Amino acid sequence: MNKMLLDKMQQRLTSKEFRYATNNNIISLNVDIGEAVGVLRIEIHVLDNAYVCYASLNNKAAPDKFCNISEYLHRANLGLIFGNFEMDFSDGEIRYKYSIEIENANNIPNQTLDKCILLPCVMFKRYGSGILSLLFSDGDPQELIKEIENDQEK
């Protein structure tokens, strides 16, 4: 773990008035993105030369939903450049992972730090309604992705 990277992220979160907790190299916070998704649990893992951010949905998938959720997440991931959705098949946790390699810990732009929080939130805002639809009812993953992508084109 790089102490300078940890300090820089903590300073940025404090300047943005986020409430967070730190345990060793992991910074944890909750972010309310509103709409149907609500609060995301965010963990920022500080490594020697990178930040790895995980934003997790509070709802977990039941085993009988794994197939449809997996298809939906894979379809959502297609074409994404930065980060990806994941589902843990051991407990149904659904999360978005985004990582940033840091070459120079002395000169990290604030925008780079902000992306650790903002990008996963934006992805859940975009795809979260489809995930929730599949968690709580039956639906067609392909059709849900088409609806979301058609809405984005408007």
Side-chain angles (χ1 to χ4, degrees):
M1 188 241 343
N2 185 322
K3 177 82 167 104
M4 186 180 292
L5 291 182
L6 180 67
D7 291 344
K8 292 221 183 233
M9 183 59 78
Q10 289 174 322
Q11 290 167 8
R12 185 63 180 163
L13 292 171
T14 299
S15 76
K16 291 290 196 175
E17 299 182 0
F18 280 109
R19 292 178 39 189
Y20 62 90
T22 304
N23 185 2
N24 296 321
N25 69 318
I26 300 173
I27 301 170
S28 302
L29 62 148
N30 293 321
V31 176
D32 187 347
I33 64 168
E35 300 175 17
V37 175
V39 176
L40 295 175
R41 291 175 291 114
I42 297 185
E43 285 188 353
I44 302 167
H45 295 236
V46 181
L47 308 179
D48 288 335
N49 66 339
Y51 295 109
V52 181
C53 180
Y54 298 97
S56 300
L57 202 56
N58 282 320
N59 304 89
K60 293 185 178 187
D64 65 321
K65 301 288 186 173
F66 283 7
C67 185
N68 274 351
I69 296 289
S70 296
E71 179 183 344
Y72 180 86
L73 297 178
H74 275 69
R75 289 181 182 279
N77 283 338
L78 184 65
L80 293 182
I81 297 170
F82 301 107
N84 61 282
F85 284 100
E86 304 177 332
M87 184 178 71
D88 185 338
F89 278 80
S90 68
D91 66 2
E93 178 185 29
I94 299 166
R95 65 188 187 184
Y96 191 85
K97 179 178 74 177
Y98 176 64
S99 53
I100 304 172
E101 182 180 22
I102 304 296
E103 293 182 18
N104 181 358
N106 292 313
N107 187 21
I108 306 170
N110 285 334
Q111 298 90 332
T112 298
L113 299 173
D114 293 346
K115 284 179 189 174
C116 282
I117 306 274
L118 295 176
L119 185 63
C121 291
V122 167
M123 291 295 105
F124 268 108
K125 274 187 167 242
R126 181 173 184 187
Y127 293 102
S129 62
I131 294 169
L132 292 173
S133 177
L134 291 171
L135 285 176
F136 298 113
S137 65
D138 293 323
D140 181 347
Q142 184 175 7
E143 289 303 315
L144 288 167
I145 291 292
K146 281 182 185 175
E147 287 173 22
I148 289 165
E149 291 174 351
N150 286 340
D151 286 346
Q152 293 297 314
E153 291 174 4
K154 293 178 182 176

